[in-house]
Amino acid sequence: MKKNRIFKTISGVALCTALLTGCSESWLEPKPLSFLTPENAYVDADGLLTSLAAAERSMRHEYFGNGSGYTCELIFSDLCISGTTDKAGPLQDMDRQLMPDANFNNAENSYLTSHNWDENWNQIKYTNVVLSRMKDTKFVNEAEKNKVLGTGYFQRCYRYWRLINQFGDVPFIDVEVTYPRYDFNTCDRWSILRRMKKELEFAYQWVPEQVDRGHTTKSACGVLLMKVYMSLGEFDNAIKVGNEIVAKHPLMVNRFTSTKNNHPNLMFDLHSVEAKSDPANTEGILYGVSEPNNASGTGSAKTEIMANCVPMWNNNVVKTPSGKTGFAVTPDSKDVAAGIVEDVNKTYGRGIARVRPTNYFQYTIWTEKEKNDLRGRYNHDSWRRMEDLIYNDPALKKANDPWYGKKAVKPVNMSCGDSIRCWFSWPHYKVYIPDPTAGSGQWKGGSSPIYLMRSAEVYLMLAECYYWKDNLGEAANMLNVVRKRAGADLLTAQDINIGEILNERARELYYEEHRHITLVRIAYTYALTGKPCEIFDGRIYKMENLCGPKGASNLKDAGYNFWFDWISQHNNFYNKGVKNRFAEYTMSVHHMLWPIPNKDIRANTNGHINQNNGYLGCENNVTPLQVPEEGQFMKD
C-alpha cells in the first residue's frame, strides 16, 4: 500500500513537470507510457490519501526555512518581535507597514501575513479536490470511505482554523474549483466554526489512531475539535475529548531515546531529533516529518530554526572589550579539541535572529516557582545567554588578545538595533537541531521531525477550560501535570488566572503553538462569554467593535480586545518608543486580525470579500453570509 502511494506521488510530480514544459514535437509524439490523471488517480482510497498526504506534508512548511511563515505567529504576540534590523522590509512598524496592498511573502522580509493567506487557501483548494472526487471513488467499505472523508475534513478545518483566527470573516469554499471563479463572498467566522465542529466530530469518530508518523490521527482531530469547542464556549465537550486524548497519549516523564546519554536532561530528550522519530514517544500526537536520512521517504527539508531563533553573534558586531571581532564560524580546531574555545556555530547554530524574544519570555515568566524548571532560564543547560559564549575568533589568538577563550561581555557602545539582534537569551534545548550535512559551513538548523500537536498542550487546554468554568482548583491540577514533569513548583487554585495559563503555554510551547492564534481565540472567548478579565481589573470585552471603532485607524486605547491589552502589557517593544535605524515597533488594536490582501478583493468581481475593520476598504463591507452546518455551501 505504502509503495503504491509513493509511486503515485512521484507520478504526480512528473505530470506537473510535463505540463509546465514547452510543447516540443518530440513531446507530442505518442509513447506507450502511463500518465496520471484525476480519472485514474482518484479511483480508490489510496489515490485520495496520496493527495491528502501532500497536504499533511505541507503542514510542516510554515515551520521550516529562513524567516518561516510561523515566525509571523510569534511577532504578533507577547513572545517576540522581528529581529531583522539591517533592512527596512521586515514587519516591525505595523501602523505604517501592515497594509492590504503590502506583500509579506518572501524570505528577505519574512514569510508573514500574505504567505499565511496564500498557503492556507492553496491547501483548502487541494483538499477540496479530494473531497469532491470521493463520489466517483470505489471504497472497500464504509469505514475506509469515512477514514478518507474524515482526514480530508481535518485538513480543511486545520486551514480554516488558521484563517478565521488570523483574518476573521473569510469566504467558505467547499467544492472543487474547476474553472476561473470571481464570485466568492465573505462568510461569518462563527458559522464557519459551527461547520468545522460538525466535520471534526465526524473525523474524530472515523480517523484511526494508528497511522504512519506524519499522517492525521484520531487524536489530532480531537485536539482541533477541542479548540473549536472552546471557541464556541462548549467547554464540557472540550474537556471530554481532552481527557480521552491524554489517556491515549501520556506525557514522557522519564529519560528516553537511544541518545539520552548525550543530553543533559529530559527536556533535551523530548525535543531531540531522535525523540520525534522514536516509536516509544507517547506524547506526540501529530508530526511534521523531515528526517536527516530521508528514511521515511518524506524528504529531508531543513528547519533553519537556529537561524531564526539564535542571536546574530557572527556579524562583526559583537566585539570584545578590546574592540575586536569576537566570534568566527570556523574556529581553531585544535583549541576546540583542547576545550580552550568552543565551536559556537556547531554548538548553538549560526543565528540571524529572525525573531527576537521579549523580556516577558526571557525573564518575567521565570519566577521563584520556576527556579528548578528544566525548561527555564535558571537552567543553563536548557537556556543559553550571550554571556555563555566564548570568544573564538582565530584572529584574536594570532594577535595575542587576552580575551581569546574568555566569556562574552556585552559591548558598552552596542546600538539599540544591534542589541535587538545580537544580544539576548534563548531556549537552547528547544531550538537546537544539528546539521551535520552542513559540514564546516553555517549550522542554521538541520532536518528533523517536528511536533505539530502533543499532549502537553492538551493538558494546558484542559486547564483553560476549567478556568472558563471557574473551577480553578482543577485548572491548577491540569497545569501541574506539565509543571511537575518540568520540575517547577506546583500551583494552587489561588495562583490561577488567564495570565498564569498563558505563562505556562509560553514556557512549554515556544515555537510550537500558534501564539497569535491562541491570544486571538482567547480575545474572542472573553467577548463571547462576557467573563470579567481579572488581570485587567475585571475589564469586560464585547463583540461589538472588537477591533476598534468602524473605519481605518491606528487606535491604541485599551479595552477593545484582550489581544491588544495583553501584548501592550507584556511586549516591551511595541508602542514603547523602541526604534532601530529603519523602523519603530508599533501596533494598534485592529492588528489583532490581519488585512485581507487587496489583490484578491479586487479580482473577485462577481462577489464581495470584506476588508477587516481598521484597514482601508473596510467602509465597503457588507453583512457576511452564514455557512450551514451541513450540506454543500457553494454551487459547483
Side-chain angles (χ1 to χ4, degrees), residues 321 385-391 403 405-409:
R385 309 163 301 168
M386 282 297 295
E387 292 89 346
D388 296 323
L389 274 57
I390 296 173
Y391 294 125
W403 284 99
K406 301 291 180 62
K407 288 191 174 183
V409 176

Side-chain angles (χ1 to χ4, degrees), residues 532-553:
C533 184
E534 66 285 343
I535 62 173
F536 294 123
D537 299 322
R539 185 173 296 160
I540 296 176
Y541 298 97
K542 299 179 180 179
M543 204 67 66
E544 183 183 2
N545 292 343
L546 191 65
C547 289
K550 303 302 179 184
S553 67

Side-chain angles (χ1 to χ4, degrees), residues 502-561:
L502 283 169
N503 293 348
E504 196 61 39
R505 291 186 70 95
R507 297 180 191 113
E508 183 68 25
L509 300 173
Y510 179 71
Y511 223 91
E512 288 184 67
E513 74 163 320
H514 290 90
R515 184 69 173 189
H516 164 254
I517 285 179
T518 295
L519 296 177
V520 170
R521 174 180 60 76
I522 290 173
Y524 273 114
T525 304
Y526 269 119
L528 175 70
T529 62
K531 181 182 176 71
C533 184
E534 66 285 343
I535 62 173
F536 294 123
D537 299 322
R539 185 173 296 160
I540 296 176
Y541 298 97
K542 299 179 180 179
M543 204 67 66
E544 183 183 2
N545 292 343
L546 191 65
C547 289
K550 303 302 179 184
S553 67
N554 287 321
L555 180 70
K556 293 174 172 56
D557 293 346
Y560 284 96
N561 63 61

Side-chain angles (χ1 to χ4, degrees), residues 168-326:
D169 296 335
V170 296
F172 186 78
I173 306 172
D174 59 349
V175 298
E176 177 184 359
V177 178
T178 57
Y179 57 91
R181 298 190 65 161
Y182 312 97
D183 60 343
F184 303 107
N185 292 283
T186 293
C187 297
D188 170 63
R189 78 179 293 276
W190 298 100
S191 68
I192 295 175
L193 275 168
R194 290 189 289 270
R195 173 65 168 261
M196 291 168 61
K197 170 188 166 182
K198 287 287 188 181
E199 293 183 349
L200 288 169
E201 285 174 339
F202 181 93
Y204 186 59
Q205 178 183 355
W206 287 104
V207 173
E209 190 68 61
Q210 301 302 319
V211 298
D212 291 337
R213 188 150 297 192
H215 294 301
T216 305
T217 66
K218 174 184 178 71
S219 290
C221 298
V223 171
L224 189 52
L225 178 59
M226 277 187 74
K227 294 179 180 181
V228 171
Y229 278 146
M230 293 168 72
S231 297
L232 293 171
E234 299 181 19
F235 304 114
D236 288 332
N237 285 337
I239 290 170
K240 178 179 181 297
V241 172
N243 284 330
E244 293 171 356
I245 294 171
V246 297
K248 298 173 185 174
H249 293 275
L251 299 188
M252 300 300 292
V253 296
N254 298 312
R255 299 298 303 271
F256 73 111
T257 78
S258 60
T259 58
K260 64 183 179 183
N261 293 332
N262 299 334
H263 305 148
N265 61 50
L266 174 60
M267 290 296 104
F268 275 90
D269 289 356
L270 182 65
H271 294 285
S272 67
V273 177
E274 296 80 13
K276 297 163 192 171
S277 301
D278 192 334
N281 185 347
T282 59
E283 187 164 338
I285 291 173
L286 182 65
Y287 296 85
V289 177
S290 174
E291 297 175 336
N293 57 7
N294 195 22
S296 64
T298 56
S300 54
K302 295 184 179 183
T303 63
E304 298 197 38
I305 187 174
M306 296 188 292
N308 289 332
C309 297
V310 174
M312 181 181 260
W313 46 265
N314 180 244
N315 195 33
N316 299 323
V317 172
V318 181
K319 306 286 188 181
T320 67
S322 58
K324 298 183 177 65
T325 299

Side-chain angles (χ1 to χ4, degrees), residues 408-427:
V409 176
K410 186 176 182 179
V412 295
N413 60 346
M414 180 176 273
S415 70
C416 178
D418 289 338
S419 177
I420 287 171
R421 195 169 199 187
C422 304
W423 204 273
F424 55 84
S425 304
W426 71 97

